[in-house]
Amino acid sequence: MRIARSATLILAGLLLSLSALAVPKVIKKVPPEFPAEAANKGVNKGSVKAKITIEADGKVSAVEIVEAEPKRLFDNAVKQALMEWRFEAGEKTTHEVKLVFQNED
């Protein structure tokens, strides 16, 4: 059962990571849902930095959590959402993104 939660997602930055190439343009962003587990634990904010692998066709093929606060609470939501992101086609590259959660309930 999915619990709908009102959350604000701030894309704090698409940071150049392991590649010297220009940051690819995001053409589809899917915001992660605020996890019910976090709300049930009384956690109303957090952040996750993830390394994403972007294939030449613009699809995300891998998501690795680099750091998270609090640890592991938002990881699954971030992985699921980032796998749905799409970028302009180009060369295969790796970048980091930081997602910040704020529950507005």
Side-chain angles (χ1 to χ4, degrees):
M1 181 173 142
R2 283 170 76 172
I3 298 175
R5 288 275 174 199
S6 173
T8 301
L9 170 69
I10 302 168
L11 178 60
L14 182 57
L15 306 172
L16 189 58
S17 176
L18 302 177
S19 174
L21 302 174
V23 175
K25 182 179 177 185
V26 179
I27 57 175
K28 178 185 174 188
K29 289 182 185 178
V30 175
E33 290 187 28
F34 196 94
E37 179 185 2
N40 292 340
K41 291 183 175 183
V43 176
N44 61 9
K45 62 183 177 178
S47 65
V48 176
K49 185 187 295 184
K51 181 170 67 173
I52 58 174
T53 301
I54 304 165
E55 297 298 325
D57 64 0
K59 293 181 180 178
V60 176
S61 62
V63 177
E64 177 187 341
I65 303 301
V66 176
E67 63 183 53
E69 185 57 44
K71 294 193 182 302
R72 294 182 288 284
L73 201 52
F74 297 100
D75 294 9
N76 287 336
V78 168
K79 286 179 183 179
Q80 289 175 0
L82 289 176
M83 289 299 292
E84 297 296 320
W85 284 32
R86 297 294 178 261
F87 294 81
E88 282 187 347
E91 293 186 30
K92 181 176 178 176
T93 187
T94 304
H95 291 278
E96 287 187 356
V97 295
K98 182 176 182 181
L99 303 177
V100 177
F101 291 81
Q102 180 69 47
N103 191 359
E104 295 177 339
D105 284 351

